Each structure stands twice: as C-alpha cells, then as structure tokens.
Amino acid sequence: MQKEIDMLDVQKIREDFPILKREVNGKPLVYFDNAATSQTPQVVIDAIVDYYSNYNANIHRGVHTLSQEATDAYEIARKKVQNHFNAKHTHEIILTSGTTHSINIVATGFTNLLAKGDEIIVSALEHHSNIVPWQMLCERTGAILKVIPMNEEGELLMDVYDQLLSDKTKLVFTNHISNALGTINPIEEIIQKAHNVGAAVLIDGAQSCPHIKPDVQELGVDFYVASAHKLCGPTGVGLLYGKEEWLNKLPPYQGGGEMIDQVTFEKTTYAGLPHKFEAGTPNICGGIAFGVALDYMNNIGFDTIADYENELLDYGTKKLLEIEGLKIYGTSKNKTSVISFNIDTIHPYDIGSIVDKLGVAVRTGHHCAQPIMDFYKIPGTIRASFSFYNTKEEIDILVEAVKKAKMMLG
Ligand SMILES: *Cc1c(COP(=O)(O)O)cnc(C)c1O
C-alpha cells in the first residue's frame, strides 16, 4: 500500500530558519552545504537560549533546583534520542561530542578484543573519521584492514564483500550514506552477512540520519553513530548507540568524573551504562537542543523530507547535466540529495570561489574522503547537498552561478 506522504510547505519551513534570510556578498544566501552541517531552526536556537537564560547548571551532581532541572532535561533528551533510533534501552544511548568521538570510543574499546591476524572490513566509501581510527586500532593490535571496493557509479562491490568475509572477520564498518557521493549503501545486507560470520557491525549514520529515520533494533546493528549538527541540532553533540552486551564488553574510553562508581587510590570501579562512557561534564545544552531538533524533524516527518529532497535531487541532476562538460560523480540509483561534480578540468576550488561570490555555498575538495577522489583520479569535486528547506529556485541560482564560473574559467 502506498504510504500517505504530506506535501512539504517549503516557504513555511524556511520561516523557521533565521539564517536563510541573510545575504552573502550582497546576494540572498543559497545554502547547499548541508552534508557538512545543517542549519538550525528557531526552536532549537530558543532551547539553547532558554537553557543558558534559565537553568544552566551541572548535571547528575547537585541537589539544588537548577541542577535537577538541567539533569531532567538532559535525560529527557536521551529518551528522545532513544525513541528516535528505537533503541531497546535508554542506557544504550551514549551522548558524545559527535560521530568522530563515537567511532573512537568503539575503535579504542576493541583494542583488547582483537588479536594479531584478526580482520576488520571497511568500505571504500568512508569518511576519514571512519578510516583512521580503525587504522590506529590495527596498529595497536596487529589486526588487518580490508576494504570493500567500489565501482564507477560509486556503489560497493557486494560480491567482493562476500569474498572478504570469513571467520577471521571480527568487525565491519561502513557508512549508511556516503557524504562525498550520496550513495545509499545496502546496510541490511552488510549487517546480515557480517553477523553470519560472527562479526560485529558499526554503521556511521552521520549522513543518512538527516534523510532516513533508522531503527537500530530492526537493523540488528551492534553500533550506530551520528552527529546532531547534520540533523538541525547544534555542533559538539552526537550519539553512540551500542547493544547493551557490547557496551558492557567495551572498557571506558576516558577516565574522569561522572563515569565512576567508587574511587580510591587502590582501585576504581566504573559506573554502569550510559555513564561509563560519559566522563566529565558533557555538552548539556547541546544534548537538550539535540532532542528539540529531533522533535522538529519528526514533526515534519522523515518520509515527507525524503520525498521532497528526492524531488530536489532529480531536478538538480537534470539541470546541472544540461551544462556542457559537467560530470557527476556518484550515479547510483540509490542515492540521496548530494550532487558531486566537476566541469572539464577546471579546479573545483576555483568554481567554488566564484559561486560563493554569487551567494551560493557549496563544498569543494575531497570531502574528507580522499580514497574516493583517488579512485576517480581527481583532486576533489564541487558538492551541492540539498536539504528540505532548499528550493528549486535556489537550484536555478546554483546552475546560473556554475555557468558563469565556467564562462570565466573555461
Ligand atoms: C560528517 C560525517 C562524519 C563526521 O562527523 P563529525 O560530526 O565531524 O564527527 C563521519 N561520517 C560521515 C559519513 C559524515 O558525513
């Protein structure tokens, strides 16, 4: 049965984002760098102002009223994150400083769980933050890193994945959606096949969460990580979801306040989940605002968001391809609203600078995914990534700006 999807009223939504009213270089801002960070709606800004204006205090420590209010709000936010990702237990949600922090907790935690010769598998489509921590883990343990290669369309070669898997495989890591190309990876299949050989799986959801609402129980995934700042929330906060049995197996990442049970100079015992992984004073305000951001997006609805963004993707792809010499990297049928492209041999940076003069914010460079650029033998791309608050009119402005840049540089 076809799901009923509400139409998105983009003009009304744009009213929620004060930054979209500003000008850049005398032109209305066209913000197409959503894959790097999303913009912040007024309700989230208000939550931040409210926290610092009315109940700023340290949590889990004081008996005084402000501390209790802050603690309650922070724990309500954790519940919201739990509900959003459909984790079984609230204590399976660790609030971190973001995706990178979350991955490092897991990669460091596996140090004593791997032996020399064990294998871990990553995908060729990874962000550096999902490559480097595993390389460091391999250096510490003598484990071997294997890579699922990609094809010209920017899709993973799943038959090679089948061959890489064996009883030596202990861990598999991949993003759900590539930030550089927008490819949606078949994570259900990746998880299932890893579990068939007894390997644990970490999914980097930093790029998928703005478009798709994940269900960690249905996926059966062992670890799932994401950042609030790509989900209309603030920077410096994110989550690590881990299955309870895995989080109990991993040692704490940092020592400090908040993560202990009893401390003496002879021996310290650790607090239970989730506090074991939350040493020190967390980003309290950020956590609370993250919860508000999830409410905001859920109110619009992720099906509605995905539907509208796909429309923008189709429109943008068609319009950009009308420019002669323009090549799009990442042409999988399964992709989200990210368009990575180059024109002839013009350096992406030069085009990025000119379109910025015209008020259009795009990303240029390797997008923290150098191995992908090496695959295509290019220094980088121009990346336009669309969010639900963008419009077709803005895409027209981008296309005109790119044409102008091409004329000036070609
Ligand atoms: C943005 C991003 C990251 C890194 O997130 P941080 O918030 O910088 O820690 C990791 N993986 C993917 C796929 C991303 O898009």
Side-chain angles (χ1 to χ4, degrees):
M1 210 173 71
Q2 181 93 29
K3 218 171 171 180
E4 197 73 40
I5 296 173
D6 291 330
M7 288 287 281
L8 185 137
D9 183 347
V10 68
Q11 290 311 331
K12 187 158 156 276
I13 279 173
R14 287 176 71 81
E15 292 294 315
D16 297 338
F17 292 82
I19 207 169
L20 298 179
K21 294 188 183 77
R22 75 160 280 182
E23 294 191 343
V24 169
N25 296 319
K27 301 276 192 310
L29 166 69
V30 173
Y31 186 77
F32 283 157
D33 196 16
N34 296 288
T37 203
S38 54
Q39 292 304 342
T40 318
Q42 190 65 50
V43 281
V44 173
I45 299 170
D46 288 346
I48 294 168
V49 172
D50 182 41
Y51 172 80
Y52 283 110
S53 308
N54 294 310
Y55 62 105
N56 176 29
N58 213 328
I59 54 169
H60 301 141
R61 296 174 194 198
V63 291
H64 61 82
T65 303
L66 292 196
S67 175
Q68 283 177 7
E69 286 178 8
T71 304
D72 288 349
Y74 194 68
E75 291 308 320
I76 287 170
R78 193 193 304 277
K79 267 255 174 275
K80 286 180 183 176
V81 176
Q82 177 200 355
N83 290 338
H84 182 78
F85 291 90
N86 196 30
K88 190 166 170 196
H89 305 292
T90 316
H91 59 255
E92 290 176 321
I93 301 295
I94 315 296
L95 293 170
T96 65
S97 74
T99 302
T100 303
H101 179 197
S102 303
I103 292 171
N104 277 282
I105 291 176
V106 179
T108 308
F110 265 88
T111 306
N112 293 325
L113 300 177
L114 292 186
K116 197 165 187 284
D118 282 346
E119 294 180 355
I120 57 189
I121 297 177
V122 297
S123 93
L125 289 170
E126 295 313 306
H127 189 283
H128 295 163
S129 73
N130 207 16
I131 300 174
V132 184
W134 309 119
Q135 286 174 327
M136 292 162 70
L137 174 62
C138 287
E139 277 171 23
R140 286 193 300 274
T141 59
I144 298 157
L145 194 69
K146 304 250 164 166
V147 182
I148 314 168
M150 60 186 265
N151 63 18
E152 198 58 34
E153 283 74 38
E155 298 164 330
L156 295 178
L157 300 179
M158 293 300 284
D159 49 336
V160 181
Y161 176 55
D162 289 342
Q163 291 159 19
L164 291 177
L165 285 165
S166 74
D167 56 6
K168 287 194 191 138
T169 313
K170 294 296 179 267
L171 291 160
V172 175
F173 309 101
T174 175
N175 56 44
H176 187 180
I177 292 180
S178 155
N179 65 303
L181 304 178
T183 313
I184 304 175
N185 292 314
I187 56 167
E188 291 84 357
E189 186 183 344
I190 290 172
I191 294 166
Q192 189 56 52
K193 287 181 168 167
H195 283 169
N196 288 347
V197 299
V201 183
L202 180 144
I203 298 293
D204 170 355
Q207 206 54 239
S208 51
C209 284
H211 313 286
I212 298 168
K213 185 170 175 162
D215 181 328
V216 292
Q217 287 189 76
E218 197 179 302
L219 287 170
V221 68
D222 304 288
F223 302 99
Y224 191 99
V225 300
S227 299
H229 71 93
K230 293 181 183 175
L231 273 163
C232 295
T235 55
V237 64
L239 87 141
L240 162 61
Y241 158 80
K243 275 186 191 159
E244 184 180 36
E245 57 265 37
W246 272 115
L247 292 178
N248 281 329
K249 245 184 260 181
L250 297 189
Y253 177 60
Q254 290 183 311
E258 201 65 34
M259 54 74 76
I260 47 88
D261 174 28
Q262 296 278 335
V263 177
T264 67
F265 282 107
E266 287 70 41
K267 181 165 175 57
T268 291
T269 51
Y270 304 130
L273 297 174
H275 306 295
K276 178 174 128 183
F277 293 104
E278 295 184 350
T281 302
N283 184 350
I284 302 164
C285 177
I288 295 167
F290 184 14
V292 174
L294 288 176
D295 287 344
Y296 175 79
M297 294 192 73
N298 278 305
N299 269 339
I300 300 171
F302 278 81
D303 288 330
T304 308
I305 288 173
D307 204 47
Y308 179 71
E309 288 172 344
N310 282 335
E311 228 180 279
L312 293 181
L313 174 66
D314 290 346
Y315 183 78
T317 305
K318 182 170 137 281
K319 284 285 172 183
L320 281 167
L321 283 175
E322 285 169 9
I323 301 174
E324 220 184 284
L326 187 141
K327 178 173 162 135
I328 292 178
Y329 298 90
T331 48
S332 173
K333 277 197 280 300
N334 285 320
K335 66 178 278 191
T336 47
S337 48
V338 169
I339 305 182
S340 239
F341 63 94
N342 275 330
I343 300 178
D344 301 324
T345 53
I346 305 174
H347 199 285
Y349 178 83
D350 296 335
I351 294 182
S353 308
I354 292 177
V355 302
D356 178 62
K357 296 267 182 311
L358 299 167
V360 183
V362 290
R363 193 73 155 193
T364 60
H366 54 60
H367 318 300
C368 295
Q370 277 177 1
I372 298 178
M373 304 302 135
D374 292 346
F375 174 86
Y376 289 118
K377 300 189 175 58
I378 50 175
T381 66
I382 302 142
R383 181 186 70 186
S385 48
F386 310 134
S387 183
F388 59 92
Y389 43 72
N390 290 128
T391 66
K392 289 183 183 168
E393 291 72 31
E394 288 181 308
I395 292 174
D396 291 338
I397 295 172
L398 166 74
V399 170
E400 285 314 307
V402 171
K403 279 184 186 161
K404 208 170 205 166
K406 184 191 170 203
M407 228 157 62
M408 290 166 69
L409 298 163

